[in-house]
Amino acid sequence: EIVLTQSPGTLSLSPGERATLSCRASQSVSSNYLAWYQQKPGQTPRLLIYGASSRATGIPDRFSGSGSGTDFTLTISRLEAEDFAVYYCQQYGSSPRAFGGGTKVEMK
Amino acid sequence: EVQLVESGGGLVQPGGSLKLSCAASGFSFSGSAMHWVRQASGKGLEWVGHIRSKANSYATAYGASVKGRFTISRDDSKKTAYLQMNSLKTEDTAVYYCTSPLASGNGDYWGQGTLVTVSS
């Protein structure tokens, strides 16, 4: 069973700054099947990135994903007001399809 | 318009059972895997399990915390997925979402969730 560890737990940044979120897997993620989700209060999660680096439909290009094997990164190049939210990674290369614990991006 | 509508949530005592339903419309249900994800209040997302399509032999898989207690099934004729929850514990209290990924991987559908509260 793969365990995903996200860091940091909370990221305090200002609009316009760059956000770098980490997701580390306890073992290699098959075929780099790693997704990133954004969740705002009271809303369902929104898929941002799949396959570690491909943006989902309608996702702005300020969101990018990178990494392979056990280390993955979500980068938001320039934070906008609507980007302050909680972000989760999820591996879907094997079952169980665990989520990471989440990183909260809050306004400084 | 794609819709996933969960129902069946409510209050149940520890040790009890509950069956959730997820009614789908607007996409090819029979060809899609269906997942259940839960979220306790103020906590993170937890993958509960999934059921794959007929073409994939209706294979199921479950998270460690629910394996042996929860069962996922589906009725393609009714475009509905189910989550049978037995031997419920207080820690199963959460909003339960059904979700279905696009075959291409570049998107997914989520329901609005149904609240399950396990309490005496």
Side-chain angles (χ1 to χ4, degrees):
Chain A
E1 176 178 342
I2 295 178
V3 176
L4 298 179
T5 302
Q6 291 188 240
S7 62
T10 302
L11 204 48
S12 297
L13 295 167
S14 300
E17 289 194 296
R18 182 185 188 90
T20 303
L21 288 65
S22 173
C23 177
R24 179 162 291 178
S26 60
Q27 54 189 282
S28 186
V29 175
S30 177
S31 301
N32 293 327
Y33 284 160
L34 192 286
W36 288 93
Y37 288 86
Q38 175 194 67
Q39 188 179 31
K40 298 178 182 179
Q43 296 185 16
T44 58
R46 175 193 183 196
L47 179 67
L48 301 174
I49 301 289
Y50 66 99
S53 60
S54 298
R55 270 186 300 277
T57 302
I59 302 304
D61 61 7
R62 63 180 182 275
F63 292 92
S64 64
S66 62
S68 64
T70 60
D71 288 295
F72 300 89
T73 301
L74 174 70
T75 301
I76 310 171
S77 58
R78 289 176 56 86
L79 280 164
E80 298 194 5
E82 62 263 32
D83 300 336
F84 292 94
V86 180
Y87 293 82
Y88 297 95
C89 57
Q90 184 196 25
Q91 72 83 19
Y92 55 100
S94 62
S95 290
R97 298 186 175 196
F99 286 93
T103 290
K104 182 179 182 180
V105 179
E106 65 176 21
M107 199 174 297
K108 193 173 184 178
Chain B
E1 181 192 5
V2 171
Q3 279 197 313
L4 290 174
V5 180
E6 301 94 339
S7 60
L11 176 63
V12 61
Q13 291 189 335
S17 298
L18 206 59
K19 188 173 185 177
L20 307 183
S21 299
C22 171
S25 60
F27 68 102
S28 175
F29 178 84
S30 62
S32 302
M34 297 299 298
H35 297 246
W36 289 92
V37 173
R38 69 184 182 183
Q39 186 169 36
S41 181
K43 302 297 184 182
L45 301 171
E46 181 182 7
W47 183 78
V48 173
H50 74 196
I51 185 166
R52 301 184 72 184
S53 65
K54 182 179 180 180
N56 291 288
S57 305
Y58 297 127
T60 56
Y62 300 91
S65 64
V66 306
K67 197 170 186 178
R69 299 188 300 124
F70 289 11
T71 302
I72 299 173
S73 60
R74 63 191 293 160
D75 185 334
D76 289 345
S77 68
K78 295 182 178 179
K79 296 186 179 181
T80 300
Y82 304 96
L83 178 64
Q84 175 68 47
M85 303 183 293
N86 298 331
S87 303
L88 282 161
K89 307 175 182 180
T90 55
E91 53 263 41
D92 295 319
T93 295
V95 174
Y96 286 72
Y97 298 100
C98 64
T99 172
S100 184
L102 296 178
S104 60
N106 67 351
D108 55 8
Y109 308 124
W110 288 69
Q112 287 304 303
T114 187
L115 177 62
V116 172
T117 303
V118 184
S119 175
S120 56

